mmCIF file of all heavy atoms in Angstrom:
data_model
loop_
_atom_site.group_PDB
_atom_site.id
_atom_site.type_symbol
_atom_site.label_atom_id
_atom_site.label_comp_id
_atom_site.label_asym_id
_atom_site.label_seq_id
_atom_site.Cartn_x
_atom_site.Cartn_y
_atom_site.Cartn_z
ATOM 1 N N GLY A 17 -89.207 -12.595 -38.686
ATOM 2 C CA GLY A 17 -88.879 -12.897 -37.303
ATOM 3 C C GLY A 17 -89.070 -11.683 -36.416
ATOM 4 O O GLY A 17 -88.822 -10.542 -36.848
ATOM 5 N N ARG A 18 -89.509 -11.924 -35.185
ATOM 6 C CA ARG A 18 -89.705 -10.836 -34.241
ATOM 7 C C ARG A 18 -89.471 -11.333 -32.821
ATOM 8 O O ARG A 18 -89.891 -12.444 -32.470
ATOM 9 C CB ARG A 18 -91.118 -10.254 -34.344
ATOM 10 C CG ARG A 18 -91.367 -8.986 -33.501
ATOM 11 C CD ARG A 18 -92.728 -8.391 -33.804
ATOM 12 N NE ARG A 18 -92.905 -7.086 -33.197
ATOM 13 C CZ ARG A 18 -93.559 -6.874 -32.040
ATOM 14 N NH1 ARG A 18 -94.120 -7.908 -31.395
ATOM 15 N NH2 ARG A 18 -93.693 -5.656 -31.557
ATOM 16 N N ALA A 19 -88.804 -10.525 -32.020
ATOM 17 C CA ALA A 19 -88.594 -10.823 -30.601
ATOM 18 C C ALA A 19 -89.082 -9.627 -29.793
ATOM 19 O O ALA A 19 -88.805 -8.475 -30.148
ATOM 20 C CB ALA A 19 -87.124 -11.088 -30.319
ATOM 21 N N ARG A 20 -89.814 -9.921 -28.717
ATOM 22 C CA ARG A 20 -90.360 -8.854 -27.874
ATOM 23 C C ARG A 20 -90.156 -9.220 -26.414
ATOM 24 O O ARG A 20 -90.350 -10.382 -26.013
ATOM 25 C CB ARG A 20 -91.847 -8.637 -28.164
ATOM 26 C CG ARG A 20 -92.562 -7.744 -27.139
ATOM 27 C CD ARG A 20 -93.943 -7.375 -27.560
ATOM 28 N NE ARG A 20 -94.749 -6.898 -26.428
ATOM 29 C CZ ARG A 20 -95.815 -6.131 -26.520
ATOM 30 N NH1 ARG A 20 -96.234 -5.735 -27.709
ATOM 31 N NH2 ARG A 20 -96.483 -5.751 -25.449
ATOM 32 N N ALA A 21 -89.790 -8.221 -25.612
ATOM 33 C CA ALA A 21 -89.627 -8.401 -24.168
ATOM 34 C C ALA A 21 -90.471 -7.359 -23.451
ATOM 35 O O ALA A 21 -90.346 -6.157 -23.715
ATOM 36 C CB ALA A 21 -88.161 -8.263 -23.765
ATOM 37 N N ASP A 22 -91.360 -7.810 -22.550
ATOM 38 C CA ASP A 22 -92.186 -6.919 -21.747
ATOM 39 C C ASP A 22 -91.511 -6.652 -20.407
ATOM 40 O O ASP A 22 -90.944 -7.570 -19.791
ATOM 41 C CB ASP A 22 -93.560 -7.538 -21.497
ATOM 42 C CG ASP A 22 -94.385 -7.654 -22.769
ATOM 43 O OD1 ASP A 22 -94.172 -6.839 -23.679
ATOM 44 O OD2 ASP A 22 -95.213 -8.570 -22.856
ATOM 45 N N LEU A 23 -91.571 -5.411 -19.965
ATOM 46 C CA LEU A 23 -91.069 -5.061 -18.644
ATOM 47 C C LEU A 23 -92.221 -5.182 -17.657
ATOM 48 O O LEU A 23 -93.185 -4.408 -17.725
ATOM 49 C CB LEU A 23 -90.508 -3.635 -18.650
ATOM 50 C CG LEU A 23 -89.396 -3.384 -19.684
ATOM 51 C CD1 LEU A 23 -88.913 -1.942 -19.603
ATOM 52 C CD2 LEU A 23 -88.243 -4.340 -19.473
ATOM 53 N N PRO A 24 -92.195 -6.183 -16.753
ATOM 54 C CA PRO A 24 -93.351 -6.484 -15.888
ATOM 55 C C PRO A 24 -93.834 -5.273 -15.093
ATOM 56 O O PRO A 24 -93.040 -4.471 -14.596
ATOM 57 C CB PRO A 24 -92.816 -7.581 -14.957
ATOM 58 C CG PRO A 24 -91.681 -8.201 -15.719
ATOM 59 C CD PRO A 24 -91.068 -7.086 -16.502
ATOM 60 N N LEU A 25 -95.163 -5.141 -15.050
ATOM 61 C CA LEU A 25 -95.858 -4.163 -14.203
ATOM 62 C C LEU A 25 -95.660 -2.709 -14.645
ATOM 63 O O LEU A 25 -96.058 -1.794 -13.938
ATOM 64 C CB LEU A 25 -95.423 -4.306 -12.738
ATOM 65 C CG LEU A 25 -95.552 -5.717 -12.131
ATOM 66 C CD1 LEU A 25 -95.043 -5.729 -10.702
ATOM 67 C CD2 LEU A 25 -96.991 -6.205 -12.200
ATOM 68 N N THR A 26 -95.070 -2.491 -15.808
ATOM 69 C CA THR A 26 -94.825 -1.116 -16.251
ATOM 70 C C THR A 26 -95.614 -0.749 -17.500
ATOM 71 O O THR A 26 -95.837 0.434 -17.755
ATOM 72 C CB THR A 26 -93.329 -0.896 -16.545
ATOM 73 O OG1 THR A 26 -92.959 -1.680 -17.689
ATOM 74 C CG2 THR A 26 -92.469 -1.282 -15.343
ATOM 75 N N GLY A 27 -95.991 -1.736 -18.297
ATOM 76 C CA GLY A 27 -96.617 -1.470 -19.583
ATOM 77 C C GLY A 27 -95.629 -1.226 -20.705
ATOM 78 O O GLY A 27 -96.019 -1.173 -21.874
ATOM 79 N N PHE A 28 -94.337 -1.106 -20.385
ATOM 80 C CA PHE A 28 -93.325 -0.861 -21.405
ATOM 81 C C PHE A 28 -92.849 -2.178 -22.023
ATOM 82 O O PHE A 28 -92.828 -3.218 -21.362
ATOM 83 C CB PHE A 28 -92.126 -0.110 -20.817
ATOM 84 C CG PHE A 28 -92.388 1.349 -20.569
ATOM 85 C CD1 PHE A 28 -92.757 1.780 -19.298
ATOM 86 C CD2 PHE A 28 -92.280 2.284 -21.585
ATOM 87 C CE1 PHE A 28 -93.000 3.117 -19.054
ATOM 88 C CE2 PHE A 28 -92.520 3.622 -21.351
ATOM 89 C CZ PHE A 28 -92.884 4.038 -20.086
ATOM 90 N N TRP A 29 -92.453 -2.102 -23.278
ATOM 91 C CA TRP A 29 -91.914 -3.270 -23.969
ATOM 92 C C TRP A 29 -90.878 -2.840 -24.986
ATOM 93 O O TRP A 29 -90.849 -1.691 -25.438
ATOM 94 C CB TRP A 29 -93.023 -4.067 -24.652
ATOM 95 C CG TRP A 29 -93.918 -3.277 -25.580
ATOM 96 C CD1 TRP A 29 -95.095 -2.654 -25.260
ATOM 97 C CD2 TRP A 29 -93.692 -3.010 -26.980
ATOM 98 N NE1 TRP A 29 -95.617 -2.023 -26.364
ATOM 99 C CE2 TRP A 29 -94.788 -2.233 -27.444
ATOM 100 C CE3 TRP A 29 -92.703 -3.376 -27.883
ATOM 101 C CZ2 TRP A 29 -94.896 -1.800 -28.764
ATOM 102 C CZ3 TRP A 29 -92.805 -2.943 -29.203
ATOM 103 C CH2 TRP A 29 -93.902 -2.168 -29.623
ATOM 104 N N MET A 30 -90.012 -3.773 -25.346
ATOM 105 C CA MET A 30 -88.986 -3.569 -26.362
ATOM 106 C C MET A 30 -89.093 -4.691 -27.383
ATOM 107 O O MET A 30 -89.422 -5.823 -27.029
ATOM 108 C CB MET A 30 -87.593 -3.561 -25.742
ATOM 109 C CG MET A 30 -87.348 -2.471 -24.726
ATOM 110 S SD MET A 30 -85.673 -2.577 -24.023
ATOM 111 C CE MET A 30 -85.787 -4.151 -23.156
ATOM 112 N N ALA A 31 -88.809 -4.380 -28.642
ATOM 113 C CA ALA A 31 -88.922 -5.403 -29.676
ATOM 114 C C ALA A 31 -87.957 -5.110 -30.817
ATOM 115 O O ALA A 31 -87.521 -3.975 -31.020
ATOM 116 C CB ALA A 31 -90.351 -5.484 -30.204
ATOM 117 N N ALA A 32 -87.632 -6.178 -31.541
ATOM 118 C CA ALA A 32 -86.859 -6.076 -32.780
ATOM 119 C C ALA A 32 -87.531 -6.973 -33.808
ATOM 120 O O ALA A 32 -87.926 -8.099 -33.503
ATOM 121 C CB ALA A 32 -85.419 -6.496 -32.560
ATOM 122 N N GLU A 33 -87.676 -6.471 -35.022
ATOM 123 C CA GLU A 33 -88.379 -7.185 -36.080
ATOM 124 C C GLU A 33 -87.557 -7.130 -37.360
ATOM 125 O O GLU A 33 -86.970 -6.094 -37.671
ATOM 126 C CB GLU A 33 -89.750 -6.548 -36.304
ATOM 127 C CG GLU A 33 -90.615 -7.212 -37.358
ATOM 128 C CD GLU A 33 -91.981 -6.541 -37.469
ATOM 129 O OE1 GLU A 33 -92.060 -5.500 -38.163
ATOM 130 O OE2 GLU A 33 -92.939 -7.024 -36.865
ATOM 131 N N ILE A 34 -87.525 -8.246 -38.087
ATOM 132 C CA ILE A 34 -86.794 -8.268 -39.350
ATOM 133 C C ILE A 34 -87.560 -9.102 -40.368
ATOM 134 O O ILE A 34 -88.134 -10.144 -40.038
ATOM 135 C CB ILE A 34 -85.358 -8.801 -39.158
ATOM 136 C CG1 ILE A 34 -84.573 -8.659 -40.471
ATOM 137 C CG2 ILE A 34 -85.358 -10.238 -38.662
ATOM 138 C CD1 ILE A 34 -83.080 -8.854 -40.303
ATOM 139 N N MET A 35 -87.593 -8.625 -41.592
ATOM 140 C CA MET A 35 -88.159 -9.331 -42.733
ATOM 141 C C MET A 35 -87.143 -9.257 -43.863
ATOM 142 O O MET A 35 -86.475 -8.238 -44.024
ATOM 143 C CB MET A 35 -89.481 -8.697 -43.186
ATOM 144 C CG MET A 35 -90.594 -8.783 -42.169
ATOM 145 S SD MET A 35 -92.079 -7.881 -42.706
ATOM 146 C CE MET A 35 -91.600 -6.198 -42.283
ATOM 147 N N GLY A 36 -87.039 -10.313 -44.650
ATOM 148 C CA GLY A 36 -86.096 -10.236 -45.746
ATOM 149 C C GLY A 36 -86.051 -11.487 -46.596
ATOM 150 O O GLY A 36 -86.619 -12.527 -46.246
ATOM 151 N N MET A 37 -85.356 -11.359 -47.721
ATOM 152 C CA MET A 37 -85.167 -12.471 -48.637
ATOM 153 C C MET A 37 -84.117 -12.078 -49.658
ATOM 154 O O MET A 37 -84.012 -10.912 -50.049
ATOM 155 C CB MET A 37 -86.481 -12.840 -49.341
ATOM 156 C CG MET A 37 -86.351 -13.967 -50.362
ATOM 157 S SD MET A 37 -85.695 -15.494 -49.679
ATOM 158 C CE MET A 37 -87.118 -16.073 -48.744
ATOM 159 N N GLY A 38 -83.324 -13.054 -50.080
ATOM 160 C CA GLY A 38 -82.392 -12.874 -51.169
ATOM 161 C C GLY A 38 -82.697 -13.880 -52.265
ATOM 162 O O GLY A 38 -82.946 -15.064 -51.994
ATOM 163 N N TYR A 39 -82.683 -13.431 -53.518
ATOM 164 C CA TYR A 39 -83.005 -14.298 -54.643
ATOM 165 C C TYR A 39 -82.227 -13.817 -55.849
ATOM 166 O O TYR A 39 -82.419 -12.691 -56.304
ATOM 167 C CB TYR A 39 -84.505 -14.272 -54.931
ATOM 168 C CG TYR A 39 -84.944 -15.131 -56.088
ATOM 169 C CD1 TYR A 39 -85.253 -16.470 -55.915
ATOM 170 C CD2 TYR A 39 -85.041 -14.596 -57.367
ATOM 171 C CE1 TYR A 39 -85.655 -17.258 -56.982
ATOM 172 C CE2 TYR A 39 -85.439 -15.369 -58.443
ATOM 173 C CZ TYR A 39 -85.740 -16.697 -58.247
ATOM 174 O OH TYR A 39 -86.123 -17.479 -59.314
ATOM 175 N N SER A 40 -81.298 -14.652 -56.341
ATOM 176 C CA SER A 40 -80.454 -14.287 -57.465
ATOM 177 C C SER A 40 -79.736 -12.975 -57.123
ATOM 178 O O SER A 40 -79.067 -12.885 -56.107
ATOM 179 C CB SER A 40 -81.292 -14.168 -58.739
ATOM 180 O OG SER A 40 -80.474 -13.945 -59.867
ATOM 181 N N ASP A 41 -79.876 -11.952 -57.955
ATOM 182 C CA ASP A 41 -79.228 -10.663 -57.675
ATOM 183 C C ASP A 41 -80.140 -9.703 -56.932
ATOM 184 O O ASP A 41 -79.837 -8.509 -56.817
ATOM 185 C CB ASP A 41 -78.785 -10.004 -58.991
ATOM 186 C CG ASP A 41 -77.701 -10.789 -59.696
ATOM 187 O OD1 ASP A 41 -76.897 -11.420 -58.998
ATOM 188 O OD2 ASP A 41 -77.676 -10.780 -60.936
ATOM 189 N N ASN A 42 -81.261 -10.195 -56.419
ATOM 190 C CA ASN A 42 -82.246 -9.338 -55.754
ATOM 191 C C ASN A 42 -82.240 -9.609 -54.255
ATOM 192 O O ASN A 42 -82.213 -10.757 -53.811
ATOM 193 C CB ASN A 42 -83.636 -9.615 -56.322
ATOM 194 C CG ASN A 42 -83.664 -9.440 -57.828
ATOM 195 O OD1 ASN A 42 -83.650 -8.330 -58.330
ATOM 196 N ND2 ASN A 42 -83.672 -10.554 -58.554
ATOM 197 N N ASN A 43 -82.267 -8.529 -53.488
ATOM 198 C CA ASN A 43 -82.221 -8.650 -52.032
ATOM 199 C C ASN A 43 -83.116 -7.597 -51.396
ATOM 200 O O ASN A 43 -83.252 -6.480 -51.906
ATOM 201 C CB ASN A 43 -80.787 -8.467 -51.514
ATOM 202 C CG ASN A 43 -79.842 -9.538 -52.004
ATOM 203 O OD1 ASN A 43 -79.788 -10.631 -51.463
ATOM 204 N ND2 ASN A 43 -79.090 -9.229 -53.059
ATOM 205 N N LEU A 44 -83.694 -7.973 -50.260
ATOM 206 C CA LEU A 44 -84.517 -7.043 -49.494
ATOM 207 C C LEU A 44 -84.346 -7.342 -48.013
ATOM 208 O O LEU A 44 -84.427 -8.507 -47.596
ATOM 209 C CB LEU A 44 -85.990 -7.147 -49.880
ATOM 210 C CG LEU A 44 -86.956 -6.186 -49.185
ATOM 211 C CD1 LEU A 44 -88.095 -5.804 -50.120
ATOM 212 C CD2 LEU A 44 -87.548 -6.795 -47.903
ATOM 213 N N ILE A 45 -84.080 -6.317 -47.231
ATOM 214 C CA ILE A 45 -84.051 -6.417 -45.774
ATOM 215 C C ILE A 45 -84.853 -5.253 -45.208
ATOM 216 O O ILE A 45 -84.651 -4.102 -45.600
ATOM 217 C CB ILE A 45 -82.618 -6.382 -45.222
ATOM 218 C CG1 ILE A 45 -81.815 -7.597 -45.684
ATOM 219 C CG2 ILE A 45 -82.639 -6.322 -43.695
ATOM 220 C CD1 ILE A 45 -80.373 -7.584 -45.234
ATOM 221 N N ASP A 46 -85.769 -5.560 -44.299
ATOM 222 C CA ASP A 46 -86.590 -4.549 -43.639
ATOM 223 C C ASP A 46 -86.513 -4.821 -42.140
ATOM 224 O O ASP A 46 -87.059 -5.811 -41.644
ATOM 225 C CB ASP A 46 -88.031 -4.645 -44.142
ATOM 226 C CG ASP A 46 -88.871 -3.438 -43.736
ATOM 227 O OD1 ASP A 46 -88.476 -2.718 -42.807
ATOM 228 O OD2 ASP A 46 -89.923 -3.220 -44.359
ATOM 229 N N ALA A 47 -85.795 -3.979 -41.406
ATOM 230 C CA ALA A 47 -85.529 -4.221 -39.985
ATOM 231 C C ALA A 47 -85.981 -3.028 -39.147
ATOM 232 O O ALA A 47 -85.823 -1.871 -39.559
ATOM 233 C CB ALA A 47 -84.046 -4.487 -39.753
ATOM 234 N N THR A 48 -86.514 -3.324 -37.971
ATOM 235 C CA THR A 48 -87.035 -2.281 -37.080
ATOM 236 C C THR A 48 -86.659 -2.590 -35.637
ATOM 237 O O THR A 48 -86.766 -3.735 -35.185
ATOM 238 C CB THR A 48 -88.570 -2.192 -37.176
ATOM 239 O OG1 THR A 48 -88.962 -2.027 -38.537
ATOM 240 C CG2 THR A 48 -89.093 -1.016 -36.368
ATOM 241 N N ALA A 49 -86.223 -1.569 -34.912
ATOM 242 C CA ALA A 49 -86.033 -1.635 -33.458
ATOM 243 C C ALA A 49 -87.100 -0.755 -32.819
ATOM 244 O O ALA A 49 -87.313 0.382 -33.270
ATOM 245 C CB ALA A 49 -84.638 -1.173 -33.072
ATOM 246 N N GLN A 50 -87.773 -1.266 -31.767
ATOM 247 C CA GLN A 50 -88.951 -0.594 -31.230
ATOM 248 C C GLN A 50 -88.905 -0.493 -29.703
ATOM 249 O O GLN A 50 -88.386 -1.382 -29.022
ATOM 250 C CB GLN A 50 -90.216 -1.377 -31.601
ATOM 251 C CG GLN A 50 -90.377 -1.634 -33.094
ATOM 252 C CD GLN A 50 -91.343 -2.776 -33.381
ATOM 253 O OE1 GLN A 50 -91.380 -3.764 -32.663
ATOM 254 N NE2 GLN A 50 -92.118 -2.634 -34.447
ATOM 255 N N LEU A 51 -89.468 0.586 -29.199
ATOM 256 C CA LEU A 51 -89.745 0.759 -27.773
ATOM 257 C C LEU A 51 -91.178 1.241 -27.645
ATOM 258 O O LEU A 51 -91.565 2.216 -28.308
ATOM 259 C CB LEU A 51 -88.796 1.787 -27.141
ATOM 260 C CG LEU A 51 -89.067 2.143 -25.678
ATOM 261 C CD1 LEU A 51 -88.867 0.922 -24.779
ATOM 262 C CD2 LEU A 51 -88.174 3.299 -25.230
ATOM 263 N N GLY A 52 -91.989 0.537 -26.841
ATOM 264 C CA GLY A 52 -93.398 0.883 -26.759
ATOM 265 C C GLY A 52 -93.949 0.847 -25.362
ATOM 266 O O GLY A 52 -93.291 0.401 -24.408
ATOM 267 N N TRP A 53 -95.182 1.326 -25.246
ATOM 268 C CA TRP A 53 -95.901 1.319 -23.963
ATOM 269 C C TRP A 53 -97.364 1.035 -24.253
ATOM 270 O O TRP A 53 -97.925 1.517 -25.246
ATOM 271 C CB TRP A 53 -95.765 2.670 -23.263
ATOM 272 C CG TRP A 53 -96.602 2.765 -22.022
ATOM 273 C CD1 TRP A 53 -96.326 2.257 -20.779
ATOM 274 C CD2 TRP A 53 -97.876 3.418 -21.894
ATOM 275 N NE1 TRP A 53 -97.335 2.539 -19.896
ATOM 276 C CE2 TRP A 53 -98.309 3.259 -20.551
ATOM 277 C CE3 TRP A 53 -98.688 4.119 -22.789
ATOM 278 C CZ2 TRP A 53 -99.516 3.775 -20.091
ATOM 279 C CZ3 TRP A 53 -99.890 4.631 -22.328
ATOM 280 C CH2 TRP A 53 -100.286 4.458 -20.990
ATOM 281 N N GLU A 54 -97.979 0.210 -23.394
ATOM 282 C CA GLU A 54 -99.388 -0.135 -23.541
ATOM 283 C C GLU A 54 -100.108 0.092 -22.222
ATOM 284 O O GLU A 54 -99.652 -0.356 -21.160
ATOM 285 C CB GLU A 54 -99.540 -1.597 -23.960
ATOM 286 C CG GLU A 54 -100.989 -2.021 -24.184
ATOM 287 C CD GLU A 54 -101.097 -3.483 -24.602
ATOM 288 O OE1 GLU A 54 -100.349 -3.890 -25.515
ATOM 289 O OE2 GLU A 54 -101.923 -4.220 -24.006
ATOM 290 N N SER A 55 -101.239 0.799 -22.273
ATOM 291 C CA SER A 55 -102.015 1.075 -21.068
ATOM 292 C C SER A 55 -102.848 -0.140 -20.688
ATOM 293 O O SER A 55 -102.945 -1.113 -21.439
ATOM 294 C CB SER A 55 -102.923 2.284 -21.301
ATOM 295 O OG SER A 55 -103.953 1.951 -22.215
#
């Protein structure tokens, strides 16, 4: 899952991304918070 919000007319954006799964005694979570800029 990923959510992203662009700040209009600035090129800046914010996002949060998560990947994961649990199975029996095994678990994995990979989460990221991001701030970016695009020309």
Side-chain angles (χ1 to χ4, degrees):
R18 187 173 189 261
R20 168 171 162 158
D22 293 332
L23 303 180
L25 306 178
T26 67
F28 285 97
W29 53 268
M30 299 179 295
E33 182 178 82
I34 186 167
M35 295 175 280
M37 178 57 74
Y39 180 87
S40 186
D41 294 328
N42 304 285
N43 296 279
L44 182 147
I45 296 177
D46 193 341
T48 306
Q50 305 161 323
L51 175 64
W53 174 80
E54 182 180 312
S55 70

